[in-house]
């Protein structure tokens, strides 16, 4: 047995997102988001699932906080439903929606858990989508007004904030590949959305400095790792291109004040133009206090002439996959973190999402035996520990997810939680991984 030891200063947490867990879609003054419309459109989500009820956390948040308390984590990362707090997308606040989050924040603090708020985890108010959504530059101003309102309401108690979760998913996955809401398949739309998301991020960061001067703010891009299949330059270049639209496209503007010219040219070759106004990059590149990183998977990458936009073919390293069919590649986690440190310097990093989909149910003994998830976490926390030993300034690790939940286009079939949820009764059952993570958090170490 080998002990993997973490420093006492490392913060541990668990994460969720509003549309995935809250339910109460038509309660408390909330209006529809793009995910309400998308999920209720036949064919978009497996089994016709939707988030109308989800985990019912809107009504069960106190129980969920007790699970967090007994888990022993320092942080709880959750997101705010924009359309719950500002039903018209802009304008007046909905007191009932604000009160829900105020109660949640207070419940967390009363139980010794620090809140970390994500402002945007994909659930844009539908009323704004009908005005062009994130393709419309005016949405960046609507986001700024929403962010300002949240900073003013909660900034006194909440000091850790993230602006945008996984901007690649909210732009390219949702507007070019068409897999997530709003389900478009336009590269131009995706490029416009990506820029406006970053612009909204920058505007919010500027405002945050005045409204929450003692707080920390960043964003949470998702990244994967492509390891060249061979030393051939074609394979190396294909992997760089394949990672660039997740990494450099969303990080260079923030940390370097520029977009990667390779992708600007590639998108232009496919009739998608980067539309910017003077001063945009200055806004986007506002200094941030921390970067969130969401990592799940990686693979080998090989040049392939007809391999999509980037001419890259992804090949799993081996046969190990989670139940959502993502390859398991913990070495890619280590390589991602050391690469980010080398590229962007000493910005503090929170792992804002890392976890695995395994669809275990409650067995006859009343327990959920998810050894595969424990193994996944051991592998990735070992990679994290190695990255820390290599000097990467990692300050926190937040597991995805606290609860099984509405897994977007996969519906309720795919389970990422360390707590099992019965989606008919909403009963919570702690999995073996919950107890393993609790022990790791308590002792700042584990054996493998």
């Amino acid at each position: 047995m080998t002990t993997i030891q973490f420093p006492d200063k490392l913060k541990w947490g668990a994460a969720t997102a509003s549309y995935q867990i809250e339910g109460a879609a038509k309660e408390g003054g909330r209006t529809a988001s793009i995910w309400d419309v998308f999920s209720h459109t036949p064919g978009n989500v497996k089994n016709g699932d939707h988030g109308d009820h989800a985990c019912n956390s809107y009504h069960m948040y106190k129980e969920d906080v007790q699970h967090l308390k007994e888990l022993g984590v320092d942080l709880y990362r959750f997101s705010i439903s924009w359309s719950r707090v500002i039903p018209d997308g802009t304008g007046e606040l909905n007191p009932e929606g604000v009160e829900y989050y105020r109660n949640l924040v207070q419940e967390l603090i009363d139980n010794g858990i620090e809140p970390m708020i994500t402002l945007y985890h994909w659930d844009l108010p539908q009323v704004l989508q009908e005005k062009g959504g994130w393709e419309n530059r005016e949405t960046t101003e609507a986001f700024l007004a929403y962010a300002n309102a949240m900073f003013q309401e909660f900034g006194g108690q909440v000091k850790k904030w993230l602006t945008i979760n996984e901007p690649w998913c909210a732009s390219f996955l949702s507007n070019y590949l068409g897999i997530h809401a709003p389900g478009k398949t336009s590269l131009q739309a995706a490029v416009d959305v990506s820029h406006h998301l970053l612009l909204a991020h920058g505007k919010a960061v500027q405002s945050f400095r005045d409204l929450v001067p003692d707080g920390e703010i960043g964003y949470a891009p998702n990244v994967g790792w492509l390891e060249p299949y061979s030393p051939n330059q074609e394979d190396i270049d294909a992997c760089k291109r394949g990672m660039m639209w997740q990494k450099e496209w969303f990080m260079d503007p923030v940390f370097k004040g520029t977009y990667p010219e390779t992708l600007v040219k590639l998108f232009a070759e496919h009739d998608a133009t980067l539309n910017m106004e003077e001063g945009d990059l200055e806004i986007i590149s506002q200094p941030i206090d921390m970067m969130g990183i969401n990592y799940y998977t990686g693979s080998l990458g090989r040049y392939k002439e007809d391999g999509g936009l980037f001419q890259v073919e992804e090949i799993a390293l081996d046969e190990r996959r989670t139940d959502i069919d993502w390859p398991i590649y913990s070495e890619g986690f280590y390589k991602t973190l050391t690469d980010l440190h080398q590229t962007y310097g000493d910005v503090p990093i929170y792992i804002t999402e890392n976890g695995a989909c395994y669809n275990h149910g409650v067995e006859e003994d009343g327990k959920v035996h998810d050894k595969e998830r424990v193994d996944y976490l051991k592998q990735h926390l070992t990679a994290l520990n190695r990255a820390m030993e290599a000097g990467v300034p990692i300050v926190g690790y937040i597991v995805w997810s606290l609860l099984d939940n509405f897994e977007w286009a996969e519906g309720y079939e795919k389970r990422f939680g360390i707590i099992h949820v019965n989606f008919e009764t909403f009963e919570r059952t702690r999995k073996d991984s919950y107890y393993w993570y609790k022990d790791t958090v308590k002792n700042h170490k584990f054996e493998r």
Side-chain angles (χ1 to χ4, degrees):
M1 297 289 282
T2 300
T3 299
I4 307 298
Q5 180 77 52
F6 293 90
D8 290 344
K9 64 182 179 181
L10 184 71
K11 300 284 188 182
W12 300 90
T16 62
S18 51
Y19 190 72
Q20 292 182 273
I21 70 161
E22 284 180 3
K26 298 176 182 178
E27 296 180 46
R30 181 186 180 276
T31 58
S33 73
I34 56 174
W35 267 97
D36 293 272
V37 173
F38 184 80
S39 63
H40 280 275
T41 302
N44 284 341
V45 176
K46 286 186 179 178
N47 304 315
D49 291 343
H50 50 72
D52 284 10
H53 305 292
C55 305
N56 198 32
S57 288
Y58 183 80
H59 296 291
M60 297 177 66
Y61 71 91
K62 289 188 177 183
E63 177 181 331
D64 293 339
V65 170
Q66 288 307 303
H67 287 298
L68 286 162
K69 180 181 181 180
E70 293 179 36
L71 186 60
V73 291
D74 305 291
L75 301 168
Y76 177 47
R77 178 189 171 217
F78 65 94
S79 74
I80 291 176
S81 166
W82 186 345
S83 64
R84 191 179 293 287
V85 293
I86 306 179
D88 294 328
T90 58
E92 292 185 9
L93 289 174
N94 169 29
E96 200 169 346
V98 172
E99 185 69 12
Y100 166 69
Y101 293 109
R102 183 175 291 117
N103 291 339
L104 173 58
V105 166
Q106 192 61 55
E107 190 75 12
L108 289 165
I109 292 171
D110 288 348
N111 284 278
I113 301 158
E114 183 176 5
M116 175 185 278
I117 289 178
T118 304
L119 286 167
Y120 187 72
H121 202 127
W122 307 350
D123 43 356
L124 183 73
Q126 177 63 21
V127 65
L128 294 181
Q129 183 63 34
E130 290 168 3
K131 298 176 182 178
W134 285 109
E135 291 176 72
N136 182 351
R137 187 182 173 95
E138 290 181 7
T139 300
T140 67
E141 286 297 310
F143 179 80
L144 175 60
Y146 157 59
N148 284 345
M150 297 303 97
F151 296 154
Q152 289 167 334
E153 289 290 336
F154 304 117
Q157 291 180 293
V158 180
K159 302 303 178 184
K160 290 182 170 62
W161 295 75
L162 298 165
T163 54
I164 309 290
N165 180 75
E166 297 188 350
W168 179 85
C169 291
S171 54
F172 291 103
L173 187 68
S174 303
N175 292 276
Y176 172 55
L177 300 177
I179 294 170
H180 282 186
K184 300 190 72 170
T185 53
S186 162
L187 182 58
Q188 182 62 65
V191 171
D192 287 341
V193 168
S194 69
H195 179 64
H196 292 154
L197 286 166
L198 290 177
L199 184 60
H201 157 81
K203 289 179 176 181
V205 171
Q206 282 182 319
S207 183
F208 183 80
R209 298 299 173 209
D210 293 327
L211 294 175
V212 194
D214 58 342
E216 297 176 295
I217 194 166
Y219 71 138
N222 59 300
V223 289
W225 186 262
L226 288 176
E227 183 70 14
Y229 189 82
S230 79
N232 295 337
Q233 196 62 44
E234 280 188 336
D235 288 349
I236 293 170
D237 291 344
C239 288
K240 286 181 178 178
R241 289 192 302 272
M243 290 191 288
M244 193 175 287
W245 72 333
Q246 286 191 345
K247 191 184 85 171
E248 284 90 345
W249 188 257
F250 292 102
M251 296 185 191
D252 280 10
V254 172
F255 295 106
K256 298 182 177 181
T258 183
Y259 279 98
E261 193 60 32
T262 300
L263 281 195
V264 174
K265 290 179 179 178
L266 181 62
F267 291 152
E269 290 170 3
H270 290 81
D271 301 318
T273 304
L274 174 60
N275 298 307
M276 288 193 297
E277 293 185 7
E278 187 176 349
D280 281 3
L281 286 169
E282 183 180 350
I283 295 170
I284 292 170
S285 60
Q286 294 296 305
I288 57 176
D289 306 298
M290 58 182 176
M291 175 163 59
I293 290 296
N294 297 357
Y295 179 91
Y296 291 95
T297 187
S299 64
L300 302 175
R302 182 168 62 184
Y303 171 77
K304 187 178 183 182
E305 188 173 353
D306 60 349
L309 192 62
F310 303 107
Q311 296 182 308
V312 62
E313 176 186 28
E314 296 186 17
I315 303 168
L317 191 67
D318 54 38
E319 300 309 309
R320 296 174 304 145
R321 293 174 180 267
T322 61
D323 285 350
I324 202 169
D325 205 34
W326 295 349
I328 299 170
Y329 190 27
S330 59
E331 179 71 11
F333 192 26
Y334 169 78
K335 292 186 175 186
T336 293
L337 293 170
T338 52
D339 176 70
L340 290 174
H341 184 220
Q342 291 165 5
T343 306
Y344 300 110
D346 287 330
V347 58
I349 293 174
Y350 280 90
I351 307 308
T352 38
E353 290 184 27
N354 176 242
C357 172
Y358 288 106
N359 302 325
H360 304 87
V362 180
E363 298 188 14
E364 288 184 5
D365 61 1
K367 298 178 180 179
V368 182
H369 301 298
D370 58 338
K371 179 182 182 297
E372 294 91 337
R373 180 174 286 104
V374 172
D375 290 343
Y376 177 99
L377 292 175
K378 284 182 177 180
Q379 293 165 33
H380 286 76
L381 280 169
T382 300
L384 182 80
N385 189 270
R386 291 177 59 211
M388 295 176 75
E389 292 282 340
V392 181
I394 295 159
V395 292
Y397 175 87
I398 302 171
V399 70
W400 185 272
S401 173
L402 179 68
L403 302 168
D404 290 341
N405 53 51
F406 175 77
E407 185 45 43
W408 306 114
E410 299 290 340
Y412 293 105
E413 276 191 2
K414 306 301 183 186
R415 294 177 176 268
F416 277 85
I418 58 172
I419 297 174
H420 180 276
V421 178
N422 180 318
F423 293 112
E424 294 182 1
T425 66
F426 306 120
E427 181 181 2
R428 277 84 160 128
T429 303
R430 296 170 181 178
K431 303 180 185 180
D432 288 355
S433 58
Y434 173 99
Y435 295 104
W436 178 87
Y437 190 53
K438 176 181 179 179
D439 189 60
T440 300
V441 168
K442 178 182 178 181
N443 296 306
H444 287 269
K445 66 181 179 181
F446 64 90
E447 308 288 336
R448 63 168 302 181

